[in-house]
Amino acid sequence: MPKVGMEPIRRRQLISATMQAIDDVGLADATVARIARQAGVSAGIISHYFGGKDGLLEATMRQILYDLGAAVATRRGRLPEDTPAAHLRAIIDGNFDRSQVSQSVMKTWLAFWASSMHKHDLQRLQRVNDRRLYSNLCSQFRRCLPRAEARRAARGLAAMIDGLWLRGALAPEGLDVDRARRLAYDYLEEQLARADCLA
Amino acid sequence: MPKVGMEPIRRRQLISATMQAIDDVGLADATVARIARQAGVSAGIISHYFGGKDGLLEATMRQILYDLGAAVATRRGRLPEDTPAAHLRAIIDGNFDRSQVSQSVMKTWLAFWASSMHKHDLQRLQRVNDRRLYSNLCSQFRRCLPRAEARRAARGLAAMIDGLWLRGALAPEGLDVDRARRLAYDYLEEQLARADCLA
DNA sequence: TTTTGTTGATTGAACGTTCAATAAAAACAT
DNA sequence: ATGTTTTTATTGAACGTTCAATCAACAAAA
């Protein structure tokens, strides 16, 4: 079957299979054999394309982070109005699109959160994402709130988003996206109501 | 060394050693050998007292849940006034005491969250805790809000607490307990301000 | 002497990685 | 077009390592 230019195809297959495997049995039992079987390829191919299992896991986390960033950027790119409220709602929406709020992506996120505590490569990635969310929120809040207040609001909204998301991931009934978004919107409005910039 | 009545002592030692090991190297690398060494005993003793590694992990999660419940119950037991606001603040405080907001407990929590996605025993425990927090919040909010509003507020506050906690666990600088509590208090007050029960 | 608590070498299963072997496509030659 | 060589992609068995669990042997208290 070998054709030229398989690399990007295989990489996508394997990253997708990794998320599926984590969804099925968890990171601890997501063995290279299982992931390879899920992708319909041999186990050896993982080391060939990713240098090893760790490389595949890092690439998978990178993909998720990229998708999240793209989801936010897309919505911020086509805003009807350039108000802080509009930007902040777009950020919220992007975080709750998350390329899809699928069970497999949520489980993979959670697994990587736990794992990033002790793997420095993952920790770095996770940290970049955290700071991006916080500073995006902060710079928008700053357009209508003093610095200290903007920081407070950004921290609160970031916590609200992550908390809703975490509880959605853990809940057997899954995440109710509309309800979660409404709660985040409500919090946002209460923060903006402190200033007079309810756009 | 063998004396009678070692069981409770060994159990406490091993549960504590488990948290320490997870703090040191993560759940994935917290082997029975490492945990036993941390506790200063032989590896075999784990199977003897806990039936195996899984038993020890479940017991460790049970301990953390128990400590959390106790922290909340204690504060609710000595309230100056029997108002919803006072109860809700006690619940917040209890969640941010968490017996201690130590790095080892937070890392262990996060590891168990991820793990509970695929181990039914842990999932059951985690779910009990989740529902306890939610229904505690809900029943207090119900004292001054209509049912639907109370549920909404409970969901929001629960998400805020867990979100603050999660971000604190992930942040390299650790959790700023006072700041987190203040954000949760603020949210609480905004919810109560919707009714007229700002006690 | 019996009971209780503990050890640590051993066992077997499972894992990630490696690499010689292989197969198909691509490139080249005729 | 057709045959040949080279390149690229892939396999999967073998290897070495690591782990949890076991259990016969042992030690100290009762």
Side-chain angles (χ1 to χ4, degrees):
Chain A
M1 300 184 180
K3 293 182 184 176
V4 294
M6 289 303 286
E7 179 157 348
I9 296 171
R10 291 281 178 251
R11 287 182 70 96
R12 260 183 282 122
Q13 278 181 336
L14 286 165
I15 286 171
S16 171
T18 301
M19 296 191 213
Q20 191 59 56
I22 291 176
D23 187 27
D24 290 343
V25 295
L27 181 55
D29 292 321
T31 64
V32 293
R34 180 171 212 113
I35 294 169
R37 185 166 7 105
Q38 175 77 40
V41 294
S42 163
I45 217 75
I46 288 175
S47 291
H48 182 251
Y49 282 123
F50 295 95
K53 193 186 180 183
D54 285 349
L56 173 56
L57 296 179
E58 182 174 331
T60 303
M61 188 163 177
R62 258 183 220 284
Q63 183 64 50
I64 293 180
L65 290 173
Y66 174 83
D67 290 344
L68 171 58
V72 172
T74 299
R75 284 153 205 266
R76 292 185 73 182
R78 38 173 154 84
L79 283 182
E81 44 176 14
D82 181 31
T83 61
H87 277 278
L88 288 163
R89 276 194 293 267
I91 294 172
I92 290 171
D93 288 354
N95 272 272
F96 284 109
D97 163 306
R98 229 140 197 175
S99 326
Q100 54 200 348
V101 197
S102 69
Q103 193 74 0
S104 78
V105 173
M106 292 203 290
K107 280 196 195 170
T108 306
W109 257 109
L110 194 46
F112 279 134
W113 269 334
S115 189
S116 73
M117 294 275 211
H118 301 96
K119 304 214 171 183
H120 292 148
D121 295 337
L122 296 184
Q123 191 163 37
R124 229 190 55 252
L125 290 178
Q126 187 270 322
R127 182 126 188 80
V128 167
N129 186 63
D130 250 29
R131 296 200 70 83
R132 181 175 57 180
L133 172 59
Y134 172 70
S135 71
N136 278 345
L137 295 175
C138 214
S139 67
Q140 290 304 319
F141 275 123
R142 276 247 46 195
R143 291 170 66 187
C144 51
L145 292 171
R147 183 189 296 267
E149 286 283 298
R151 283 192 181 149
R152 203 193 47 78
R155 273 190 246 275
L157 185 52
M160 178 62 82
I161 291 171
D162 283 355
L164 287 166
W165 208 81
L166 171 64
R167 294 184 71 84
L170 292 174
E173 66 270 20
L175 175 61
D176 184 330
V177 179
D178 287 334
R179 190 165 64 195
R181 252 197 4 228
R182 234 172 293 131
L183 281 165
Y185 276 25
D186 287 351
Y187 185 77
L188 170 59
E189 271 174 34
E190 272 154 10
Q191 298 313 305
L192 291 179
R194 298 193 167 207
D196 43 7
C197 58
L198 263 168
Chain B
M1 303 177 184
K3 292 183 183 175
V4 294
M6 290 302 286
E7 180 157 349
I9 296 172
R10 290 281 178 251
R11 287 182 70 96
R12 259 183 284 124
Q13 278 181 335
L14 286 166
I15 287 171
S16 171
T18 301
M19 296 190 213
Q20 191 59 56
I22 291 176
D23 187 28
D24 290 342
V25 294
L27 181 56
D29 292 321
T31 64
V32 294
R34 180 170 212 114
I35 294 169
R37 185 165 7 105
Q38 175 77 40
V41 294
S42 162
I45 217 75
I46 288 175
S47 290
H48 183 249
Y49 282 124
F50 294 95
K53 193 187 182 184
D54 285 349
L56 173 57
L57 295 178
E58 182 174 331
T60 304
M61 188 164 176
R62 257 183 220 284
Q63 183 64 49
I64 293 180
L65 291 173
Y66 175 83
D67 290 345
L68 171 58
V72 172
T74 299
R75 284 153 205 264
R76 292 185 74 183
R78 36 174 156 84
L79 283 181
E81 44 177 14
D82 182 30
T83 62
H87 277 278
L88 289 163
R89 276 195 293 267
I91 294 173
I92 291 171
D93 288 354
N95 273 272
F96 284 111
D97 163 307
R98 231 140 195 175
S99 326
Q100 54 200 349
V101 197
S102 68
Q103 193 75 359
S104 78
V105 173
M106 291 203 290
K107 280 196 195 169
T108 306
W109 257 108
L110 195 46
F112 279 134
W113 268 334
S115 190
S116 72
M117 295 274 211
H118 301 96
K119 303 214 170 183
H120 291 149
D121 295 338
L122 296 184
Q123 191 165 36
R124 232 190 53 253
L125 290 177
Q126 188 270 324
R127 182 125 187 80
V128 167
N129 186 63
D130 251 29
R131 295 200 71 81
R132 181 175 57 180
L133 172 59
Y134 172 70
S135 71
N136 278 344
L137 294 176
C138 213
S139 67
Q140 291 303 319
F141 275 122
R142 276 247 46 194
R143 290 170 65 185
C144 50
L145 292 172
R147 182 189 298 266
E149 287 283 298
R151 283 192 181 149
R152 204 193 47 78
R155 273 189 247 273
L157 185 52
M160 178 61 83
I161 291 172
D162 284 353
L164 288 166
W165 208 81
L166 171 64
R167 293 184 72 84
L170 291 174
E173 66 270 20
L175 174 62
D176 185 330
V177 178
D178 287 335
R179 190 165 65 194
R181 252 198 1 229
R182 233 173 294 131
L183 282 165
Y185 276 25
D186 287 351
Y187 185 78
L188 170 59
E189 271 173 36
E190 272 154 11
Q191 298 313 305
L192 292 179
R194 298 193 167 207
D196 44 8
C197 58
L198 263 169

